[in-house]
């Protein structure tokens, strides 16, 4: 779904709180399923009262009373040995995160490099490989990489500067970084 001109001009939090945006985010969270967060509410439990919960969520986001819940910590084994710590947000928090991502994606997509494939709809490693195969006829390999704990080390100041430079309002920037 693309942003309307009103949404594009609206502050980030107001755009996120639009009923159609929260519903779209809910459908995406529901499709991804996943484990419950610290509140114990699964996607299935949320689904049973989705309309009421979404209306309550909309009110809390609009009134600025929404606050994310603590993350549920789960250790899972790595294929190469050792453990990976997963931090699982509640279903409600995943909906808000998804709504925020959808608004930012709509607003910022035109500024992304056409060579950037990560975390973008319909893109990813396969599309990156197709892109490279058309550019590098002699290439025999494509490498994907994952920088360990990258998001744990992102400088919030730089993220804030980039979001502000792209026209995200100060309250929206603060919301993203909390």
């Amino acid at each position: 779904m693309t942003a309307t001109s009103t949404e594009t001009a609206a502050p980030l939090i107001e755009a996120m709180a639009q009923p159609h945006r929260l519903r779209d985010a809910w459908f995406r969270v529901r499709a991804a399923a996943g484990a419950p967060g610290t509140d114990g509410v699964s996607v299935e439990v949320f689904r049973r009262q989705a309309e009421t919960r979404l209306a309550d969520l909309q009110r809390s986001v609009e009134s600025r009373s929404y606050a994310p819940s603590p993350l549920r910590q789960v250790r899972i084994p790595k294929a190469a040995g050792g453990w990976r710590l997963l931090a699982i947000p509640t279903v409600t928090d995943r909906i808000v995160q998804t709504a925020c991502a959808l608004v930012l994606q709509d607003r910022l997509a035109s500024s992304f490099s056409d060579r950037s494939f990560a975390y973008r709809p319909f893109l990813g490693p396969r599309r990156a490989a197709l892109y490279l195969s058309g550019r590098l006829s002699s290439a025999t390999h494509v490498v994907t990489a994952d920088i360990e704990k990258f998001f744990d080390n992102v400088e919030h100041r730089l993220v804030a500067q980039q979001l502000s430079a792209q026209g995200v309002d100060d309250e929206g920037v603060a919301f993203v970084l909390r």
Side-chain angles (χ1 to χ4, degrees), residues 6-177:
T6 305
E7 276 188 17
T8 302
L12 176 64
I13 293 173
E14 290 176 20
M16 289 170 36
Q18 294 297 312
H20 73 277
R21 184 69 69 190
L22 290 172
R23 191 169 292 107
D24 186 14
W26 157 238
F27 290 149
R28 291 168 189 249
V29 168
R30 186 179 71 186
T38 54
D39 63 0
V41 175
S42 66
V43 169
E44 178 57 28
V45 168
F46 190 98
R47 185 196 61 75
R48 292 182 201 140
Q49 296 179 321
E51 290 307 314
T52 300
R53 290 176 185 262
L54 288 172
D56 291 345
L57 181 57
Q58 178 188 2
R59 282 189 291 279
S60 72
V61 171
E62 284 178 333
S63 70
R64 309 320 196 250
S65 64
Y66 166 79
S69 298
L71 299 170
R72 182 171 146 228
Q73 306 286 324
V74 177
R75 287 176 23 144
I76 61 168
K78 289 183 175 181
W83 297 91
R84 178 178 174 198
L85 188 63
L86 286 183
I88 303 172
T90 65
V91 172
T92 298
D93 291 343
R94 290 193 300 248
I95 292 167
V96 172
Q97 291 168 2
T98 302
C100 183
L102 290 169
V103 172
L104 289 174
Q105 182 181 318
D106 282 349
R107 292 183 180 185
L108 306 179
S110 64
S111 67
F112 295 162
S113 167
D114 64 351
R115 293 174 184 91
S116 175
F117 295 90
Y119 303 105
R120 296 180 61 197
F122 312 111
L123 300 176
R126 290 180 197 267
R127 284 289 184 112
L130 286 171
Y131 175 84
L132 287 174
S133 69
R135 303 285 186 283
L136 305 170
S137 59
S138 63
T140 58
H141 295 81
V142 174
V143 177
T144 61
D146 185 13
I147 301 171
E148 185 174 349
K149 298 187 179 187
F150 173 78
F151 291 107
D152 295 342
N153 297 297
V154 170
E155 285 193 47
H156 286 191
R157 176 184 56 81
L158 296 176
V159 174
Q161 288 173 350
Q162 290 295 310
L163 289 172
S164 292
Q166 293 292 326
V168 177
D169 61 289
D170 291 344
E171 186 180 28
V173 170
F175 185 88
V176 169
L177 296 179

